[in-house]
Amino acid sequence: MNSILTMNQEKANSILVRKEKNRQKRRGNIIQAAERVFLNKRYQNATIEDIASEAEISVGTIYNFFPNKETLYIEILHGISADLLEGLRRSVSNHQEPNFSLEHLIQLRLSNYHRHKLFFQIFLDHGSSTYPDFNAIPATIIDSYHEYLERLGDYLIHSIQTDHEPQFFPIYLALSFEGFLNAYMGYEATTPKKPESLVKVIRYIKCMFSRMNRSTRTESKSKKKMIKEMNWMFNLFLGDYQYLFI
């Protein structure tokens, strides 16, 4: 009798586990579908019906998991922010040579630029009605944004400076890096010229930041001239991306 009860209990547990796996899989599919819709239509134009159609499920099924598209978008932000931080960690830790780790990081950002933009756009359009109310964005997401910039800045500082006393705040290096990527992607999207291959673009950007490193190593350059060159690069990179100062 006890053995029968045990078997029944194990079977019931197995069914529950399978149901939960199916539920999580469906939830993940909804998030992925929503991400594609938000990328294609932008947040303000996307509807729950669009997401349901993309996921090939009913609207009611989505509401079983998410009460509205704002909540769904915030869930996507959590995923992207976690991926950004993990990608930065892997880029830095998996490559001992700064040039290789920087190249890997640039590749990560450019290859995932449009997806990452769903995250960064929240801060670009802060206060507008284009995206969810900024006040509704969880503090954990805002914290992850600042954490990413701080980690990126610290990494870039250690990559380009040697025995010299640091001349620039790490945050400005992070801002210049992100500003340049945004400016480049905007240029690529609008120029009539045939775009360079991703490999070449990665190398160009890496060389620009590596040039900072060479500047710090060249003793013949005066400190005043080095600072002038660095400030010029900052002004070039930052452009109109004031949102990064939030």
Side-chain angles (χ1 to χ4, degrees):
M1 182 68 177
N2 288 336
S3 61
I4 294 176
L5 291 174
T6 300
M7 290 178 60
N8 289 338
Q9 185 61 47
E10 290 177 350
K11 184 177 181 180
N13 289 339
S14 177
I15 292 173
L16 289 174
V17 169
R18 187 165 61 251
K19 284 184 175 180
E20 181 59 25
K21 285 184 178 180
N22 289 336
R23 176 179 171 80
Q24 290 304 317
K25 182 179 180 180
R26 181 169 293 182
R27 186 177 188 275
N29 289 339
I30 292 172
I31 293 173
Q32 291 175 6
E35 193 172 296
R36 292 192 296 270
V37 171
F38 289 140
L39 278 170
N40 293 330
K41 291 195 168 186
R42 296 175 66 92
Y43 175 82
Q44 74 273 25
N45 298 323
T47 65
I48 291 294
E49 288 75 15
D50 293 329
I51 298 170
S53 176
E54 179 69 22
E56 298 182 340
I57 58 176
S58 68
V59 170
T61 300
I62 292 183
Y63 284 122
N64 287 336
F65 291 89
F66 303 98
N68 49 54
K69 73 172 184 177
E70 180 179 88
T71 304
L72 187 47
Y73 194 91
I74 289 173
E75 186 66 26
I76 291 172
L77 294 182
H78 279 297
I80 296 176
S81 62
D83 290 346
L84 262 173
L85 290 171
E86 178 59 20
L88 176 58
R89 186 196 66 78
R90 287 199 309 268
S91 296
V92 175
S93 63
N94 290 351
H95 301 276
Q96 297 299 321
E97 174 59 40
N99 277 343
F100 288 115
S101 60
L102 180 57
E103 188 171 322
H104 187 272
L105 177 60
I106 295 168
Q107 181 178 12
L108 170 74
R109 286 290 287 111
L110 290 181
S111 300
N112 296 277
Y113 177 81
H114 295 292
R115 178 172 185 261
H116 291 169
K117 189 177 179 181
L118 291 175
F119 175 78
F120 287 111
Q121 203 75 22
I122 284 289
F123 303 93
L124 174 62
D125 291 341
H126 176 224
S128 75
S129 59
T130 306
Y131 285 86
D133 181 6
F134 193 81
N135 294 323
I137 303 299
T140 52
I141 290 177
I142 299 174
D143 290 343
S144 65
Y145 166 74
H146 288 285
E147 183 181 354
Y148 169 76
L149 290 177
E150 289 167 5
R151 286 191 187 183
L152 175 61
D154 288 340
Y155 161 68
L156 292 173
I157 276 288
H158 287 96
S159 295
I160 71 167
Q161 298 202 359
T162 55
D163 298 330
H164 296 265
E165 181 181 352
Q167 299 294 323
F168 302 95
F169 292 111
I171 191 66
Y172 290 116
L173 284 175
L175 295 174
S176 67
F177 179 84
E178 287 298 323
F180 184 86
L181 294 184
N182 280 293
Y184 166 74
M185 292 302 289
Y187 168 79
E188 185 189 61
T190 57
T191 181
K193 298 180 181 179
K194 182 180 179 180
E196 297 282 4
S197 68
L198 181 60
V199 173
K200 283 188 176 181
V201 171
I202 290 171
R203 288 176 180 172
Y204 292 158
I205 299 174
K206 182 190 73 173
C207 285
M208 293 189 74
F209 277 87
S210 296
R211 181 171 179 267
M212 294 181 186
N213 190 14
R214 290 196 298 273
S215 294
T216 60
R217 292 175 182 270
T218 305
E219 295 181 358
S220 61
K221 287 182 177 287
S222 67
K223 181 180 293 186
K224 183 177 180 180
K225 186 174 181 180
M226 183 184 75
I227 292 176
K228 182 178 179 180
E229 288 184 356
M230 293 283 279
N231 283 335
W232 175 83
M233 294 183 79
F234 288 147
N235 290 331
L236 172 67
F237 294 157
L238 286 174
D240 295 324
Y241 295 99
Q242 298 96 333
Y243 72 98
L244 290 170
F245 287 103
I246 298 171

Short mmCIF file of all heavy atoms in Angstrom, two decimals, residues 197-236:
data_model
loop_
_atom_site.label_atom_id
_atom_site.label_comp_id
_atom_site.label_asym_id
_atom_site.label_seq_id
_atom_site.Cartn_x
_atom_site.Cartn_y
_atom_site.Cartn_z
N SER A 197 33.28 45.85 -42.93
CA SER A 197 32.97 44.59 -42.26
C SER A 197 33.07 44.78 -40.75
O SER A 197 33.78 45.68 -40.27
CB SER A 197 33.93 43.49 -42.70
OG SER A 197 35.25 43.76 -42.22
N LEU A 198 32.36 43.96 -40.02
CA LEU A 198 32.37 44.07 -38.56
C LEU A 198 33.79 43.89 -38.01
O LEU A 198 34.19 44.58 -37.07
CB LEU A 198 31.44 43.02 -37.95
CG LEU A 198 31.33 43.02 -36.41
CD1 LEU A 198 30.80 44.35 -35.91
CD2 LEU A 198 30.41 41.88 -35.95
N VAL A 199 34.55 43.00 -38.61
CA VAL A 199 35.92 42.76 -38.16
C VAL A 199 36.76 44.03 -38.27
O VAL A 199 37.50 44.39 -37.35
CB VAL A 199 36.57 41.62 -38.98
CG1 VAL A 199 38.06 41.49 -38.63
CG2 VAL A 199 35.85 40.30 -38.73
N LYS A 200 36.64 44.74 -39.40
CA LYS A 200 37.40 45.97 -39.59
C LYS A 200 36.96 47.05 -38.62
O LYS A 200 37.79 47.76 -38.04
CB LYS A 200 37.25 46.47 -41.03
CG LYS A 200 38.07 45.71 -42.05
CD LYS A 200 38.01 46.40 -43.41
CE LYS A 200 38.90 45.70 -44.42
NZ LYS A 200 38.87 46.37 -45.74
N VAL A 201 35.66 47.18 -38.43
CA VAL A 201 35.15 48.21 -37.52
C VAL A 201 35.66 47.96 -36.10
O VAL A 201 36.08 48.89 -35.40
CB VAL A 201 33.60 48.22 -37.54
CG1 VAL A 201 33.06 49.13 -36.44
CG2 VAL A 201 33.10 48.70 -38.89
N ILE A 202 35.63 46.71 -35.68
CA ILE A 202 36.11 46.35 -34.34
C ILE A 202 37.58 46.75 -34.19
O ILE A 202 37.99 47.33 -33.19
CB ILE A 202 35.94 44.85 -34.09
CG1 ILE A 202 34.45 44.51 -33.94
CG2 ILE A 202 36.70 44.42 -32.83
CD1 ILE A 202 34.16 43.02 -33.91
N ARG A 203 38.37 46.48 -35.23
CA ARG A 203 39.79 46.82 -35.17
C ARG A 203 40.01 48.32 -35.17
O ARG A 203 40.89 48.83 -34.47
CB ARG A 203 40.51 46.17 -36.36
CG ARG A 203 40.64 44.66 -36.22
CD ARG A 203 41.28 44.04 -37.44
NE ARG A 203 41.38 42.59 -37.29
CZ ARG A 203 41.76 41.76 -38.27
NH1 ARG A 203 42.04 42.27 -39.48
NH2 ARG A 203 41.82 40.46 -38.07
N TYR A 204 39.22 49.06 -35.94
CA TYR A 204 39.35 50.52 -35.96
C TYR A 204 39.09 51.11 -34.57
O TYR A 204 39.84 51.95 -34.08
CB TYR A 204 38.36 51.14 -36.96
CG TYR A 204 38.63 50.82 -38.40
CD1 TYR A 204 37.62 50.91 -39.36
CD2 TYR A 204 39.91 50.45 -38.84
CE1 TYR A 204 37.87 50.63 -40.70
CE2 TYR A 204 40.16 50.17 -40.17
CZ TYR A 204 39.13 50.25 -41.10
OH TYR A 204 39.37 49.97 -42.42
N ILE A 205 37.98 50.67 -33.97
CA ILE A 205 37.63 51.21 -32.65
C ILE A 205 38.68 50.81 -31.62
O ILE A 205 39.09 51.62 -30.78
CB ILE A 205 36.24 50.71 -32.22
CG1 ILE A 205 35.17 51.20 -33.22
CG2 ILE A 205 35.90 51.20 -30.81
CD1 ILE A 205 33.78 50.64 -32.96
N LYS A 206 39.13 49.57 -31.70
CA LYS A 206 40.16 49.11 -30.76
C LYS A 206 41.42 49.95 -30.91
O LYS A 206 42.04 50.34 -29.90
CB LYS A 206 40.46 47.64 -31.00
CG LYS A 206 41.50 47.07 -30.03
CD LYS A 206 41.96 45.69 -30.45
CE LYS A 206 42.85 45.76 -31.67
NZ LYS A 206 43.45 44.45 -32.01
N CYS A 207 41.80 50.24 -32.14
CA CYS A 207 43.02 51.02 -32.38
C CYS A 207 42.90 52.43 -31.81
O CYS A 207 43.88 52.98 -31.30
CB CYS A 207 43.30 51.09 -33.88
SG CYS A 207 43.96 49.56 -34.57
N MET A 208 41.71 53.01 -31.87
CA MET A 208 41.53 54.37 -31.34
C MET A 208 41.74 54.39 -29.84
O MET A 208 42.40 55.28 -29.30
CB MET A 208 40.14 54.90 -31.69
CG MET A 208 39.94 55.12 -33.18
SD MET A 208 38.41 55.99 -33.57
CE MET A 208 38.82 57.65 -33.04
N PHE A 209 41.21 53.38 -29.16
CA PHE A 209 41.40 53.34 -27.71
C PHE A 209 42.80 52.88 -27.36
O PHE A 209 43.36 53.30 -26.35
CB PHE A 209 40.34 52.45 -27.07
CG PHE A 209 39.04 53.15 -26.84
CD1 PHE A 209 38.07 53.20 -27.83
CD2 PHE A 209 38.78 53.79 -25.64
CE1 PHE A 209 36.88 53.87 -27.64
CE2 PHE A 209 37.59 54.46 -25.43
CZ PHE A 209 36.64 54.50 -26.44
N SER A 210 43.38 52.03 -28.19
CA SER A 210 44.76 51.60 -27.95
C SER A 210 45.71 52.78 -28.12
O SER A 210 46.77 52.84 -27.50
CB SER A 210 45.14 50.48 -28.92
OG SER A 210 44.34 49.34 -28.69
N ARG A 211 45.33 53.72 -28.98
CA ARG A 211 46.15 54.91 -29.21
C ARG A 211 46.29 55.71 -27.92
O ARG A 211 47.33 56.32 -27.66
CB ARG A 211 45.50 55.78 -30.29
CG ARG A 211 46.28 57.05 -30.65
CD ARG A 211 45.65 57.70 -31.88
NE ARG A 211 46.36 58.93 -32.22
CZ ARG A 211 46.01 60.14 -31.80
NH1 ARG A 211 44.97 60.27 -30.99
NH2 ARG A 211 46.68 61.21 -32.16
N MET A 212 45.25 55.68 -27.11
CA MET A 212 45.36 56.35 -25.80
C MET A 212 46.47 55.70 -24.99
O MET A 212 47.24 56.36 -24.30
CB MET A 212 44.03 56.23 -25.06
CG MET A 212 42.87 56.96 -25.69
SD MET A 212 41.39 56.74 -24.66
CE MET A 212 40.16 57.52 -25.69
N ASN A 213 46.52 54.38 -25.07
CA ASN A 213 47.54 53.63 -24.32
C ASN A 213 48.93 54.01 -24.79
O ASN A 213 49.83 54.24 -24.00
CB ASN A 213 47.31 52.13 -24.51
CG ASN A 213 48.16 51.31 -23.56
OD1 ASN A 213 48.73 51.82 -22.62
ND2 ASN A 213 48.25 50.02 -23.85
N ARG A 214 49.10 54.08 -26.11
CA ARG A 214 50.40 54.44 -26.65
C ARG A 214 50.79 55.85 -26.24
O ARG A 214 51.95 56.14 -26.01
CB ARG A 214 50.39 54.32 -28.17
CG ARG A 214 50.32 52.88 -28.66
CD ARG A 214 50.72 52.79 -30.13
NE ARG A 214 49.82 53.55 -30.98
CZ ARG A 214 48.71 53.07 -31.49
NH1 ARG A 214 48.32 51.83 -31.20
NH2 ARG A 214 47.96 53.81 -32.30
N SER A 215 49.79 56.73 -26.15
CA SER A 215 50.07 58.12 -25.75
C SER A 215 50.63 58.17 -24.34
O SER A 215 51.53 58.94 -24.04
CB SER A 215 48.80 58.96 -25.85
OG SER A 215 48.40 59.09 -27.18
N THR A 216 50.09 57.32 -23.43
CA THR A 216 50.56 57.33 -22.05
C THR A 216 51.95 56.73 -21.95
O THR A 216 52.69 57.01 -21.02
CB THR A 216 49.60 56.55 -21.14
OG1 THR A 216 49.52 55.20 -21.59
CG2 THR A 216 48.23 57.18 -21.14
N ARG A 217 52.32 55.88 -22.93
CA ARG A 217 53.62 55.22 -22.89
C ARG A 217 54.72 56.07 -23.55
O ARG A 217 55.91 55.81 -23.36
CB ARG A 217 53.55 53.87 -23.60
CG ARG A 217 52.72 52.83 -22.88
CD ARG A 217 52.62 51.56 -23.72
NE ARG A 217 51.79 50.56 -23.07
CZ ARG A 217 52.24 49.64 -22.24
NH1 ARG A 217 53.51 49.61 -21.90
NH2 ARG A 217 51.41 48.75 -21.70
N THR A 218 54.35 57.02 -24.36
CA THR A 218 55.33 57.80 -25.11
C THR A 218 55.85 58.95 -24.26
O THR A 218 55.15 59.94 -24.04
CB THR A 218 54.71 58.35 -26.41
OG1 THR A 218 54.17 57.25 -27.15
CG2 THR A 218 55.76 59.08 -27.24
N GLU A 219 57.04 58.81 -23.75
CA GLU A 219 57.58 59.79 -22.83
C GLU A 219 57.86 61.13 -23.51
O GLU A 219 57.92 62.18 -22.85
CB GLU A 219 58.87 59.25 -22.21
CG GLU A 219 58.63 58.02 -21.34
CD GLU A 219 59.92 57.50 -20.72
OE1 GLU A 219 60.98 58.08 -21.00
OE2 GLU A 219 59.85 56.53 -19.96
N SER A 220 58.05 61.13 -24.83
CA SER A 220 58.36 62.37 -25.52
C SER A 220 57.18 63.32 -25.61
O SER A 220 57.32 64.50 -25.86
CB SER A 220 58.87 62.06 -26.94
OG SER A 220 57.87 61.38 -27.67
N LYS A 221 55.97 62.79 -25.41
CA LYS A 221 54.78 63.63 -25.45
C LYS A 221 54.65 64.36 -24.11
O LYS A 221 54.73 63.75 -23.07
CB LYS A 221 53.52 62.79 -25.70
CG LYS A 221 53.40 62.27 -27.11
CD LYS A 221 52.10 61.49 -27.26
CE LYS A 221 51.92 61.01 -28.67
NZ LYS A 221 51.58 62.11 -29.57
N SER A 222 54.42 65.62 -24.16
CA SER A 222 54.21 66.37 -22.93
C SER A 222 52.84 66.05 -22.36
O SER A 222 51.94 65.64 -23.09
CB SER A 222 54.30 67.88 -23.21
OG SER A 222 53.21 68.28 -24.01
N LYS A 223 52.71 66.20 -21.05
CA LYS A 223 51.42 65.92 -20.40
C LYS A 223 50.35 66.85 -20.96
O LYS A 223 49.20 66.43 -21.17
CB LYS A 223 51.54 66.13 -18.90
CG LYS A 223 50.25 65.83 -18.15
CD LYS A 223 50.41 66.05 -16.65
CE LYS A 223 51.34 65.05 -16.04
NZ LYS A 223 51.38 65.16 -14.56
N LYS A 224 50.70 68.10 -21.24
CA LYS A 224 49.72 69.05 -21.76
C LYS A 224 49.19 68.60 -23.12
O LYS A 224 47.98 68.65 -23.38
CB LYS A 224 50.36 70.44 -21.88
CG LYS A 224 49.40 71.52 -22.36
CD LYS A 224 50.10 72.87 -22.37
CE LYS A 224 49.14 73.96 -22.84
NZ LYS A 224 49.81 75.29 -22.87
N LYS A 225 50.08 68.12 -23.98
CA LYS A 225 49.66 67.68 -25.31
C LYS A 225 48.81 66.42 -25.21
O LYS A 225 47.83 66.27 -25.93
CB LYS A 225 50.89 67.40 -26.18
CG LYS A 225 50.54 67.07 -27.62
CD LYS A 225 51.79 66.94 -28.48
CE LYS A 225 51.42 66.64 -29.92
NZ LYS A 225 52.64 66.50 -30.77
N MET A 226 49.17 65.51 -24.30
CA MET A 226 48.42 64.27 -24.13
C MET A 226 47.00 64.58 -23.67
O MET A 226 46.02 64.02 -24.17
CB MET A 226 49.10 63.36 -23.12
CG MET A 226 48.40 62.00 -22.95
SD MET A 226 49.15 61.01 -21.66
CE MET A 226 48.54 61.85 -20.20
N ILE A 227 46.87 65.49 -22.71
CA ILE A 227 45.55 65.85 -22.20
C ILE A 227 44.72 66.51 -23.30
O ILE A 227 43.52 66.25 -23.43
CB ILE A 227 45.69 66.78 -20.98
CG1 ILE A 227 46.30 66.01 -19.80
CG2 ILE A 227 44.34 67.37 -20.59
CD1 ILE A 227 46.56 66.86 -18.59
N LYS A 228 45.36 67.34 -24.13
CA LYS A 228 44.65 67.99 -25.23
C LYS A 228 44.10 66.95 -26.21
O LYS A 228 42.95 67.04 -26.66
CB LYS A 228 45.59 68.95 -25.96
CG LYS A 228 44.92 69.72 -27.10
CD LYS A 228 45.91 70.68 -27.75
CE LYS A 228 45.24 71.43 -28.90
NZ LYS A 228 46.20 72.37 -29.56
N GLU A 229 44.91 65.93 -26.53
CA GLU A 229 44.47 64.89 -27.45
C GLU A 229 43.31 64.08 -26.84
O GLU A 229 42.35 63.75 -27.53
CB GLU A 229 45.63 63.95 -27.78
CG GLU A 229 46.67 64.58 -28.68
CD GLU A 229 47.76 63.59 -29.06
OE1 GLU A 229 47.72 62.45 -28.54
OE2 GLU A 229 48.63 63.94 -29.86
N MET A 230 43.42 63.76 -25.56
CA MET A 230 42.38 62.97 -24.90
C MET A 230 41.08 63.76 -24.84
O MET A 230 40.00 63.21 -25.08
CB MET A 230 42.83 62.60 -23.48
CG MET A 230 44.00 61.64 -23.44
SD MET A 230 43.51 59.95 -23.80
CE MET A 230 42.87 59.46 -22.20
N ASN A 231 41.16 65.05 -24.53
CA ASN A 231 39.96 65.87 -24.47
C ASN A 231 39.28 65.95 -25.84
O ASN A 231 38.06 65.96 -25.96
CB ASN A 231 40.30 67.28 -23.98
CG ASN A 231 40.51 67.33 -22.48
OD1 ASN A 231 39.98 66.49 -21.76
ND2 ASN A 231 41.29 68.28 -22.01
N TRP A 232 40.11 66.03 -26.90
CA TRP A 232 39.56 66.05 -28.25
C TRP A 232 38.79 64.77 -28.54
O TRP A 232 37.70 64.79 -29.10
CB TRP A 232 40.69 66.21 -29.26
CG TRP A 232 40.21 66.11 -30.68
CD1 TRP A 232 39.66 67.10 -31.44
CD2 TRP A 232 40.24 64.95 -31.51
NE1 TRP A 232 39.33 66.62 -32.70
CE2 TRP A 232 39.68 65.31 -32.77
CE3 TRP A 232 40.69 63.63 -31.34
CZ2 TRP A 232 39.56 64.42 -33.81
CZ3 TRP A 232 40.57 62.74 -32.38
CH2 TRP A 232 40.01 63.12 -33.60
N MET A 233 39.32 63.64 -28.11
CA MET A 233 38.66 62.36 -28.33
C MET A 233 37.37 62.28 -27.54
O MET A 233 36.35 61.79 -28.02
CB MET A 233 39.60 61.21 -27.96
CG MET A 233 40.81 61.12 -28.86
SD MET A 233 41.88 59.72 -28.48
CE MET A 233 40.95 58.41 -29.27
N PHE A 234 37.38 62.78 -26.31
CA PHE A 234 36.17 62.78 -25.49
C PHE A 234 35.07 63.59 -26.17
O PHE A 234 33.92 63.17 -26.25
CB PHE A 234 36.44 63.36 -24.09
CG PHE A 234 37.26 62.45 -23.22
CD1 PHE A 234 38.14 62.96 -22.29
CD2 PHE A 234 37.15 61.07 -23.33
CE1 PHE A 234 38.89 62.14 -21.48
CE2 PHE A 234 37.91 60.23 -22.53
CZ PHE A 234 38.78 60.77 -21.60
N ASN A 235 35.42 64.78 -26.65
CA ASN A 235 34.42 65.63 -27.31
C ASN A 235 33.87 64.96 -28.56
O ASN A 235 32.68 65.07 -28.87
CB ASN A 235 35.05 66.98 -27.68
CG ASN A 235 35.35 67.83 -26.45
OD1 ASN A 235 34.66 67.71 -25.44
ND2 ASN A 235 36.37 68.67 -26.54
N LEU A 236 34.72 64.25 -29.28
CA LEU A 236 34.28 63.56 -30.48
C LEU A 236 33.32 62.44 -30.14
O LEU A 236 32.28 62.27 -30.77
CB LEU A 236 35.51 62.99 -31.22
CG LEU A 236 35.20 62.05 -32.40
CD1 LEU A 236 34.53 62.85 -33.53
CD2 LEU A 236 36.49 61.41 -32.91
#
